[in-house]
Each structure stands twice: as C-alpha cells, then as structure tokens.
Amino acid sequence: MPCERAVAQTEAMDLGLKDRVYVITGATRGLGFAVAQQLVAEGARVVVSGRTDEGALGAAERLGAESAVGVAADNSDPDAATRLIETARSRFGRFDGVLISVGGPPAGVPAEQITDEQWQSSFNTVFLGAVRLARAAAGELEAGGVIGMILSSSVYEPLPGLTISNGLRPGLAGFAKTLADEVGPRGIRVLGLLPGRIGTERLQYLDSLSGDGDATRSHNETTIPLRRYGTPEEFGRTAAFVLSPAASYLTGVMLPVDGGARHGF
C-alpha cells in the first residue's frame, strides 16, 4: 500500500544536536537540569549554572565531565552572561544557544503585602537577569543560534498566589517576541517554553501551600486533559527539540508544555 511504502522510506529524525554547545541557567535541578540531561543524551555539550559552586559543579558531574561544565552564576549578576558564554567558547570551542531558566519568585504572599524590596529583588533576578542574558547571547550568536526562556503559563493567565510571577513573566514574553523579530533576519531564533504542572520540587512546594499537597495535586490533575502532571523528562525532551536545528523554523512563540491545560488557542 502507498502509505506503507511512505512509512518504510521515513528515516529516524536526527535533532542535529551532536557537538552543539548550549548555556543552561538554573540547571542544578528541576526543569533546567532535565533539559541539560536531554541535550547531553542527544550529543550536545552544556555549560550549566547555579547560584553556588557546589550546585553547579555537582550538576556538571552528574551530566559527565566530557559533556558538561558547571559555573556558579546568579542571573542578577551583571557579569554572569559574559562569563557563561566565554566558558562555553573556552571549554567547548563554540556557542550555539542559551536556555534561560529564570526561577520562581516568592509565592503565596498576597499582592498587597509584597514589599518594594521583594519586587526589586525579583525584577533583578527574574526579569533584568533574563533580559541581560538574552541580549548578550544575541550579540554572540550566529545564524542557527537560539535563545530560549523557561517562563510559565502565567504569561497567558495569572496564577493564584504568584503575584510577582504574574507581573514579570508576561513582560519577558513580550521582550522575547520583540527580540525574535529583531534578530530573525540574522537567522537567530527566540522563543519561550511555558511549563504547566510539571512534577518538580518547586511544584510540590506550591501544592503544599494549600495545607494538603496531595489533595491539591489530585484536584489539579482533574483540570488537565491528560489527567496527570508532566515529568521533568517530558519537558526536557520538548525543550531539546525546540533548541535543536530540527526546529529551525520555530521562533517568536510561547509554547505551552502543560498536557493541554491551557484551553485557549
């Protein structure tokens, strides 16, 4: 049958990640580490960052010394972007992209109780730190390069108890879209990944704020079409594809990875 012949002629998809080099921030655990792990499994090399030497070096050791190097860097540090990109070039000889995991700002605090200091600290880390990294990467990347951000479903809809995230992440999405328009003619892609309920330590903590984390998770799963939380590994595989040359015509988008939880188009 014609359809059988077509299937027989189809080759396995190569993501084209072998020997490509990516900087992954906030990659000592959770979603950032899951992405780094998948990139390494596909043959890429990574520079992973965390706030402490212990965390960054430990993550790199788990990923393998030949494929990963750890750097202690805080996104709010103005020098972090330059150090991370220079490490990629000096250690692995090239720089193909960055995935900026901007972390989770304080949760569970009512909007009227959030102080100026909390807003300023989160702005420096979550917003300005991400903008700075993306800007530095855009100046260093060549055609085929990619800039990704791990944001949140709060880009589209505010989440209860996450006022700071609701305020800052939509702005990052707007910045990413604008940057995508500007660097697209140079062959550089920019996009965002919007994790829904992925089973990380962070989400376990957020569920626990209700006083009964198990009950909260059970309720939340009923609102997801796939009826379960995602796994970090599932998110990692999606991110690896998006960052790879196989996704070379994908840019300027905010991609939900949420099991269908977002009902808008």
Side-chain angles (χ1 to χ4, degrees), residues 167-216:
L168 298 181
R169 296 191 197 276
L172 280 174
F175 167 78
K177 175 60 179 175
T178 301
L179 186 62
D181 292 343
E182 292 177 355
V183 301
R186 292 163 45 202
I188 299 170
R189 300 185 296 119
V190 185
L191 42 80
L193 290 162
L194 312 183
R197 296 190 178 276
I198 309 294
T200 62
E201 292 179 13
R202 167 74 173 175
L203 189 58
Q204 185 176 7
Y205 163 71
L206 293 176
D207 284 349
S208 74
L209 294 177
S210 69
D212 189 340
D214 291 340
T216 298

Side-chain angles (χ1 to χ4, degrees), residues 61-235:
E61 183 177 359
R62 283 181 286 156
L63 293 166
E66 294 184 358
S67 300
V69 59
V71 178
D74 190 317
N75 283 4
S76 63
D77 179 359
D79 297 325
T82 299
R83 288 197 295 114
L84 291 168
I85 294 171
E86 287 180 350
T87 299
R89 293 197 187 281
S90 62
R91 180 64 181 270
F92 298 121
R94 57 190 289 177
F95 171 57
D96 297 289
V98 60
L99 181 64
I100 305 165
S101 180
V102 299
V109 182
E112 69 272 17
Q113 295 180 17
I114 298 173
T115 66
D116 286 358
E117 290 75 17
Q118 288 175 308
W119 273 110
Q120 188 66 56
S121 175
S122 295
F123 176 82
N124 288 337
T125 300
V126 174
F127 190 92
L128 185 56
V131 167
R132 191 183 288 119
L133 281 158
R135 185 178 62 205
E140 293 286 338
L141 288 169
E142 299 178 355
V146 59
I147 299 166
M149 293 185 184
I150 301 178
L151 299 175
S152 164
S153 57
S154 62
V155 163
Y156 288 117
E157 184 175 1
L159 299 176
L162 291 174
T163 302
I164 294 179
S165 178
N166 296 337
L168 298 181
R169 296 191 197 276
L172 280 174
F175 167 78
K177 175 60 179 175
T178 301
L179 186 62
D181 292 343
E182 292 177 355
V183 301
R186 292 163 45 202
I188 299 170
R189 300 185 296 119
V190 185
L191 42 80
L193 290 162
L194 312 183
R197 296 190 178 276
I198 309 294
T200 62
E201 292 179 13
R202 167 74 173 175
L203 189 58
Q204 185 176 7
Y205 163 71
L206 293 176
D207 284 349
S208 74
L209 294 177
S210 69
D212 189 340
D214 291 340
T216 298
R217 175 166 181 155
S218 295
H219 168 73
N220 289 336
E221 286 178 333
T222 67
T223 68
I224 302 170
L226 291 182
R227 293 298 189 270
R228 63 179 178 84
Y229 282 11
T231 68
E233 292 76 18
E234 287 175 310
F235 183 86

